[in-house]
Amino acid sequence: MRDGARAFVPGHVTGLFSIHRDDDPARAGSRGAGLTLTDGVTVSVRPADESVVQLNGERADVPAVAGVLDALGVTARVEAETPLPVGAGFGVSGAMALGAAYAANTVFNCERSENALVRFAHAAEVDAGTGLGDVVAQARGGAPIREEPGAPPYGRLNGVPETARVEYVSFGGLSTSEVLSGDTETLSAAGERALDRLLETPTLDQFVAESRTFAADAGLLTDDIESVVADVVDAGGRASMAMLGRTVFALGHGLTDAGYDADACQIHPAGARLR
């Protein structure tokens, strides 16, 4: 056993998705596409008599992290730090679960493979109702396309072979669990159509365009988000809504050029890693 370990997991914004349920949480998930971000989550794990989770210095209830620790059969103090807005469509819960899996595996000499750790974190997210595709995307990095749902060995990933500067501005969160537990037939149909078109033309421009179409067709756009996206497009930029949050992301300097005070990062070139 080690005194502690740290892992970094990139943030993730989903641009489009469809929901695929299964009794086995490792097989359940989503098809879709998104961007992983150099703004991410650093997760530290230390042995403890009782499991405790902290986020940005404050105690937090993150069921997906608890699920990972249970799957590994350990108790630990898990501390996460991130510059990303929480609950606003950046995959913070999934990042914490995956980072906890990687770091705890090292601390407690669990000797699990990467695929097993991704599967534990993904299943814990699905069981918690806080995500369906962030974990597998964050494990891959880049601009991942989730061609088939689920964690390894069930899911299948592809990607857009491009990179870019990414800007974002957030106006708050949406309840992922409420959306995922509601009537999702229209949403999933819109996601399937958008993904089919993206797979025909797998570029970042096409991704953002399909994300914007998906957000509208799925009925997820709020008036404030629609207005910001329109401002970016009018200024010649490329922008859409992050799923699921009241957050706008744009490529390049799209938000800045439209007059918004945006945070900026890059597409992350790789997936989650120990530090």
Side-chain angles (χ1 to χ4, degrees), residues 16-273:
L16 55 101
F17 70 102
S18 58
I19 296 170
H20 300 266
R21 305 190 189 280
D22 195 283
D23 290 339
D24 180 355
R27 292 178 181 269
S30 62
R31 301 179 72 225
L35 307 174
T36 63
L37 307 176
T38 52
D39 282 357
V41 183
T42 299
V43 182
S44 301
V45 172
R46 290 180 290 162
D49 293 333
E50 182 179 354
S51 291
V52 176
V53 180
Q54 285 195 330
L55 174 59
N56 290 337
E58 296 188 3
R59 189 154 182 163
D61 180 21
V62 187
V65 172
V68 164
L69 298 180
D70 286 346
L72 291 172
V74 302
T75 57
R77 182 177 184 85
V78 180
E79 298 177 352
E81 297 287 339
T82 183
L84 293 167
V86 177
F90 291 94
V92 171
S93 174
M96 291 178 66
L98 185 57
Y102 273 56
N105 182 66
T106 297
V107 170
F108 296 99
N109 301 318
C110 296
E111 298 181 342
R112 302 285 188 162
S113 70
E114 286 188 356
N115 280 355
L117 297 173
V118 173
R119 187 164 60 250
F120 289 155
H122 173 82
E125 268 269 276
V126 171
D127 281 339
T130 49
L132 292 173
D134 287 321
V135 167
V136 295
Q138 289 162 322
R140 181 191 186 278
I145 299 173
R146 303 184 304 282
E147 290 188 339
E148 294 297 337
Y154 311 113
R156 186 173 74 242
L157 290 171
N158 204 334
V160 176
E162 297 179 49
T163 190
R165 184 179 192 268
V166 180
E167 293 188 338
Y168 58 88
V169 61
S170 182
F171 303 92
L174 294 175
S175 173
T176 298
S177 59
E178 286 184 14
V179 173
L180 297 184
S181 63
D183 182 4
T184 57
E185 184 175 344
T186 298
L187 180 154
S188 287
E192 291 290 319
R193 294 192 300 269
L195 181 60
D196 286 344
R197 293 189 294 265
L198 176 61
L199 288 171
E200 290 178 0
T201 310
T203 66
L204 289 181
D205 281 350
Q206 188 75 17
F207 162 71
V208 177
E210 294 302 341
S211 173
R212 204 160 54 240
T213 299
F214 166 75
D217 290 350
L220 294 171
L221 274 177
T222 57
D223 290 343
D224 53 353
I225 297 303
E226 186 173 18
S227 177
V228 176
V229 170
D231 288 343
V232 175
V233 173
D234 289 345
R238 300 161 291 173
S240 186
M241 174 185 177
M243 311 296 159
L244 289 159
R246 291 175 52 236
T247 294
V248 176
F249 69 92
L251 300 182
H253 294 79
L255 281 160
T256 301
D257 290 346
Y260 290 91
D261 183 16
D263 289 291
C265 59
Q266 300 285 329
I267 292 177
H268 198 272
R273 292 291 183 270

